Amino acid sequence: MSANNTPPVEPSPAVTTPSTQGRRHHRSRHHGSTRQTRPRFVQIGNIALSVIKGNIIHQTTDVLVNSAVSDLDLSKGRASKALLEAAGDSIQSECTDQYPTGINSKTVAITGPGNLHCKAIFHVTLPRWQAQGDEKNIDVVVRNCLAEANKQRLTSMSFPALGTGFLKYPPRTVIASMFKTVEEFAKTNPNSTVKIVNCIVFSGDNDTFKEFLEEAKSKATSKGLQEKDIVTRNSLDANIGTISINIAVGSIITERADVIVNSCPSDLKLDARPGLAKAMYDAAGSGLQAEIDQNYPKGLKIGDLAVTCGHSLHCKKLYHGCMTSFYAKKESGLLPEKVLQNFVKKCLVEAKKNSVQSIVFPALGTGFLKFPPKTAATNVIKAIREFEANNSPSTIKTIKIVIFGGTNDWSSVEQAYTSEITTTDKGAAASVAQAPPHQIPNRGTRAYLAHKYKEEPRTPSYWTHFKNTKTIKEWNTTQKGNPYKVSSVDPKTYKSISRAFSSTGGSTIVRIERIENILLFEQYTQECQRTFRKAYVTQACTPLKNVQQSTGIAVTTKHLDKEMTNHLHDEINEFYLFHGTKIAVVDVITQQGLDSRLASSGLLGTGVYAADMADKSAGYTDQNQNGESKMFLMRVCLGDIFITKSTKAFKRPPCKTCNSDLCTTHPELFDSVVAEFNRREFVVYDSCKCYPEYLITYK
């Protein structure tokens, strides 16, 4: 199974049927992630080959292969059209621009991923099946895709059931040809970066799946290959100063060392959710939880360290720690990657203090916490380097990092760690795909989400005092005096806001002013960037109009000029919404922003409320002696939206898995709540998610 001759785990005799897929998923969830479970596979040289029932657009391998027509009109063909709809129009534009004359069966068209969770899409075409011997077309396509993936140093690929639909290729012939081609490629390219090849058969095509499975099993048996459900391999041996570093793929609960490190929830209830902590709980025995409950009854703060005995695991001590997800807010002023880095250092300092010689870490941050592999690897290795540089000599002789081999993306994590150790670039910045300088990716793509997260924010181009010639940070480090200015708006903006106000029930406007508060806007842009980061790592936010039970886009959007709405980002559901308020607190809001802690609880709990109808927000205003009222038009970042038609006093947005606002089991929450009442209400439970940009005075 491994080029380095590490002993494989005992293979299971079961085949990859839908029923065993369910059992397999249950087992591998214990090891730690919300990543796709690694299917059962056969190891052909350095490539793990699987047949999977599913939908290719949901795969998270580096490459997705799309079977298209030769002119690369991706709207033709059911599977290609579905992929286009999921990925977005940017991939069609790339095909049209880069391959104007189309392709043939010997060429591969390569585009970006659009909205899909892969690194690239390989578009291929096949002629219609005519007679025996045409399987050579499958061979050519698969071989060229493997070669191109290797050339680009990609590690995993998902092929559809090539040619088995409209093109009439026999399913057994297709999988037999794929098996043969993968085997030959593995033999002639033993050092290929490609480690995982999945063949995805559409969920509704049971007959094709059955034929693929039977033929693949027959081929594997004839070659003396057995199915496995976890990869074990030694990936790299290296040195950082006087410390030996070993990167391996496998299962950490089988390791032997002085110390094994565990990532767990802050309440230290190890069996509360599937993942690494649950695997530790199962393997160590109930005495582990009893020791934790006795010594750490209040749980653990983010980034802190808890130490217990190893119990039934093959170690003297277990180090337990809780970290934040990659897209979480700063913890005590620290980004999640810094929390991760500091935790690794704490483990090593504790180990040195107790004369530990060997310590084993899991691939911290990847999986459940959603760190991109390179970001996790960069920060873990940086922590080890800094510890070694500042703590020499040390009793620690060996550090091992075990990447769980039971998920579908172990190879990308392995590549990230081996690359981080062997490269000379040791920066620890969050690593997500970033566009080349001066080149902004297409809106709506994952590359654009990454770009918006990574960029240095500036003020809007139409601001007149805090102009966007400087970054927001530059303004905030050079600004003297008041950090905010109230400015008049240009006639076109006045007309646009007036139309949105009057069209949604507003009355006579006296004036409209723009609030340029550089401190508040920095907080708002930081929250927007966190949402971009979350959307990049997990999945793009579902547009408001497409959320189940939604009555459509925000009404304000229909009436505001494009020049205004173009400054918003629908990728994170950013809208202009109204917020009515009392005159007495207008100055406080202008200077300090909206603070839900000072408000009484509404129908949806204590939060910042907004509306897309001015007459709805007008119900929360009062009048001065001149009969004037005040209303804000706010920028609001709704992110992932939860829609309800009933009242409930939410303490925060609910969990995306169980819909409970008090859930502590799952990591992903919605960002906002929208109530589809007679007049819609929008609620965010963090004031940083809104910025009061315009103040409308009306009678």
Side-chain angles (χ1 to χ4, degrees):
M1 223 178 95
S2 166
N4 298 319
N5 298 318
T6 52
V9 294
E10 186 64 29
S12 166
V15 296
T16 315
T17 64
S19 60
T20 56
Q21 280 180 321
R23 292 196 298 271
R24 183 181 66 249
H25 177 68
H26 177 74
R27 181 195 301 185
S28 64
R29 286 191 312 171
H30 294 314
H31 291 272
S33 83
T34 53
R35 295 171 287 176
Q36 288 187 343
T37 305
R38 176 75 194 126
R40 295 176 64 80
F41 61 94
V42 291
Q43 191 74 30
I44 306 174
N46 60 347
I47 296 177
L49 176 65
S50 296
V51 176
I52 306 170
K53 182 187 286 189
N55 191 329
I56 196 164
I57 64 176
H58 298 149
Q59 306 307 306
T60 58
T61 48
D62 288 352
V63 177
L64 302 185
V65 179
N66 177 39
S67 182
V69 294
S70 60
D71 66 3
L72 288 179
D73 182 346
L74 304 183
S75 65
K76 295 178 181 177
R78 184 175 62 182
S80 179
K81 183 179 180 181
L83 185 138
L84 173 62
E85 290 173 350
D89 293 337
S90 65
I91 64 169
Q92 181 64 76
S93 299
E94 289 181 65
C95 284
T96 303
D97 294 344
Q98 298 176 30
Y99 306 93
T101 60
I103 56 174
N104 58 44
S105 60
K106 296 182 180 180
T107 54
V108 179
I110 303 174
T111 67
N115 294 322
L116 299 178
H117 279 261
C118 59
K119 294 181 180 178
I121 302 173
F122 288 5
H123 305 270
V124 299
T125 192
L126 284 166
R128 193 180 179 90
W129 172 271
Q130 299 292 337
Q132 197 68 33
D134 284 355
E135 62 268 22
K136 66 180 183 297
N137 299 319
I138 300 291
D139 173 74
V140 170
V141 165
V142 174
R143 189 180 307 278
N144 288 342
C145 287
L146 289 168
E148 190 61 45
N150 183 39
K151 180 181 176 182
Q152 298 196 27
R153 299 195 62 76
L154 300 170
T155 66
S156 55
M157 308 182 68
S158 291
F159 287 87
L162 291 166
T164 56
F166 177 75
L167 299 177
K168 302 299 183 182
Y169 282 70
R172 291 182 185 274
T173 301
V174 172
I175 190 61
S177 181
M178 288 188 68
F179 195 106
K180 174 175 171 289
T181 305
V182 169
E183 182 181 30
E184 291 175 353
F185 182 84
K187 284 181 180 178
T188 55
N189 297 272
N191 297 318
S192 167
T193 60
V194 180
K195 301 294 192 300
I196 293 174
V197 173
N198 294 334
C199 182
I200 312 299
V201 182
F202 185 65
S203 299
D205 196 347
N206 293 327
D207 291 340
T208 298
F209 179 72
K210 181 180 178 182
E211 291 189 63
F212 266 50
L213 204 60
E214 290 175 351
E215 186 65 25
K217 184 178 179 182
S218 174
K219 286 289 182 185
T221 302
S222 70
K223 300 288 183 180
L225 302 173
Q226 293 179 297
E227 287 187 294
K228 307 181 190 331
D229 56 7
I230 183 171
V231 175
T232 59
R233 55 184 276 129
N234 190 59
S235 306
L236 179 71
D237 290 302
N239 291 300
I240 294 180
T242 60
I243 301 175
S244 296
I245 305 295
N246 174 232
I247 308 297
V249 180
S251 174
I252 196 171
I253 61 175
T254 63
E255 292 296 323
R256 296 177 180 272
D258 292 342
V259 171
I260 294 177
V261 178
N262 177 33
S263 176
C264 58
S266 60
D267 62 5
L268 289 177
K269 302 301 181 184
L270 303 187
D271 64 339
R273 67 187 184 206
L276 175 61
K278 179 68 163 60
M280 294 285 188
Y281 172 89
D282 291 341
S286 59
L288 172 59
Q289 187 66 63
E291 181 183 357
I292 287 175
D293 291 344
Q294 179 177 342
N295 295 337
Y296 302 93
K298 296 182 179 180
L300 201 60
K301 291 182 180 178
I302 298 294
D304 281 356
L305 179 66
V307 181
T308 67
C309 295
H311 296 271
S312 297
L313 291 168
H314 305 299
C315 61
K316 298 175 183 176
K317 295 290 182 181
L318 281 168
Y319 289 177
H320 309 268
C322 176
M323 284 147 286
T324 56
S325 63
F326 181 63
Y327 48 78
K329 288 181 173 293
K330 290 182 178 181
E331 183 68 31
S332 301
L334 300 176
L335 284 168
E337 47 266 48
K338 192 64 177 180
V339 174
L340 170 61
Q341 197 180 123
N342 288 349
F343 174 70
V344 173
K345 289 180 187 176
K346 285 182 181 179
C347 289
L348 296 175
V349 169
E350 179 70 18
K352 178 189 175 185
K353 185 173 73 174
N354 291 281
S355 301
V356 167
Q357 294 190 8
S358 58
I359 183 170
V360 181
F361 288 91
L364 292 168
T366 60
F368 197 76
L369 298 180
K370 301 287 188 178
F371 276 66
K374 190 175 188 310
T375 303
T378 296
N379 285 278
V380 169
I381 298 304
K382 179 173 184 179
I384 295 172
R385 291 184 186 280
E386 291 183 356
F387 169 82
E388 197 282 331
N390 298 320
N391 292 273
S392 186
S394 169
T395 60
I396 301 175
K397 305 300 181 187
T398 304
I399 297 175
K400 187 172 186 177
I401 298 169
V402 178
I403 300 156
F404 180 52
T407 59
N408 205 21
D409 58 356
W410 63 263
S411 57
S412 60
V413 181
E414 177 192 53
Q415 185 184 58
Y417 269 98
T418 55
S419 174
E420 183 61 33
I421 291 176
T422 56
T423 186
T424 56
D425 179 14
K426 307 304 175 194
S431 301
V432 292
Q434 187 175 19
H438 311 300
Q439 181 180 337
I440 298 176
N442 292 331
R443 292 286 299 262
T445 63
R446 290 190 72 237
Y448 184 77
L449 299 177
H451 165 75
K452 291 301 295 181
Y453 163 61
K454 293 286 288 181
E455 75 173 352
E456 191 63 59
R458 295 174 182 266
T459 56
S461 58
Y462 52 83
W463 278 23
T464 55
H465 183 78
F466 296 105
K467 297 180 179 180
N468 72 346
T469 52
K470 295 181 182 180
T471 67
I472 293 175
K473 287 181 180 177
E474 287 172 339
W475 273 117
N476 276 327
T477 53
T478 59
Q479 169 66 17
K480 296 180 180 179
N482 286 336
Y484 72 95
K485 299 290 181 181
V486 177
S487 308
S488 59
V489 299
D490 62 87
K492 193 167 186 178
T493 301
Y494 190 101
K495 183 178 179 181
S496 175
I497 295 174
S498 296
R499 182 169 56 251
F501 185 75
S502 60
S503 298
T504 58
S507 49
T508 305
I509 291 179
V510 176
R511 61 184 172 275
I512 301 174
E513 299 162 295
R514 182 173 56 250
I515 299 161
E516 298 184 11
N517 187 320
I518 196 67
L519 289 177
L520 289 183
F521 197 70
E522 180 177 38
Q523 294 172 12
Y524 177 71
T525 56
Q526 286 174 347
E527 183 59 28
C528 288
Q529 285 194 296
R530 188 189 71 83
T531 309
F532 277 117
R533 174 173 171 148
K534 175 183 176 183
Y536 173 82
V537 174
T538 56
Q539 61 183 15
C541 301
T542 302
L544 170 61
K545 64 181 180 181
N546 295 338
V547 179
Q548 190 173 5
Q549 301 188 80
S550 171
T551 56
I553 64 171
V555 177
T556 45
T557 305
K558 299 177 182 179
H559 302 293
L560 293 169
D561 285 347
K562 282 285 186 184
E563 286 191 21
M564 282 191 69
T565 58
N566 282 344
H567 289 280
L568 304 176
H569 292 92
D570 52 12
E571 296 89 351
I572 55 173
N573 281 317
E574 185 183 20
F575 294 100
Y576 277 119
L577 298 171
F578 296 112
H579 177 83
T581 191
K582 308 300 183 186
I583 292 174
V585 298
V586 166
D587 287 343
V588 175
I589 293 173
T590 301
Q591 297 174 47
Q592 301 177 14
L594 291 133
D595 192 339
S596 60
R597 295 172 299 181
L598 302 179
S600 57
S601 180
L603 294 176
L604 300 171
T606 302
V608 177
Y609 285 68
D612 58 359
M613 301 289 289
D615 59 357
K616 172 69 176 176
S617 293
Y620 300 93
T621 64
D622 58 4
Q623 295 181 352
N624 63 15
Q625 58 187 9
N626 297 322
E628 295 177 345
S629 301
K630 303 283 186 178
M631 187 183 299
F632 289 101
L633 182 66
M634 306 189 299
R635 285 177 179 245
V636 184
C637 176
L638 296 175
D640 284 316
I641 299 168
F642 177 79
I643 289 186
T644 181
K645 291 188 174 182
S646 58
T647 60
K648 173 179 168 58
F650 292 99
K651 293 186 179 296
R652 62 177 185 176
C655 168
K656 293 178 73 173
T657 301
C658 65
N659 290 345
S660 169
D661 59 325
L662 301 178
C663 173
T664 58
T665 302
H666 308 110
E668 296 179 32
L669 303 178
F670 289 98
D671 297 300
S672 61
V673 173
V674 174
E676 290 286 0
F677 300 150
N678 185 36
R679 286 285 193 271
R680 260 201 303 207
E681 295 198 50
F682 301 76
V683 188
V684 292
Y685 297 84
D686 185 335
S687 59
C688 292
K689 289 182 179 293
C690 55
Y691 176 73
E693 189 168 18
Y694 295 99
L695 178 61
I696 303 169
T697 302
Y698 68 97
K699 287 190 176 183

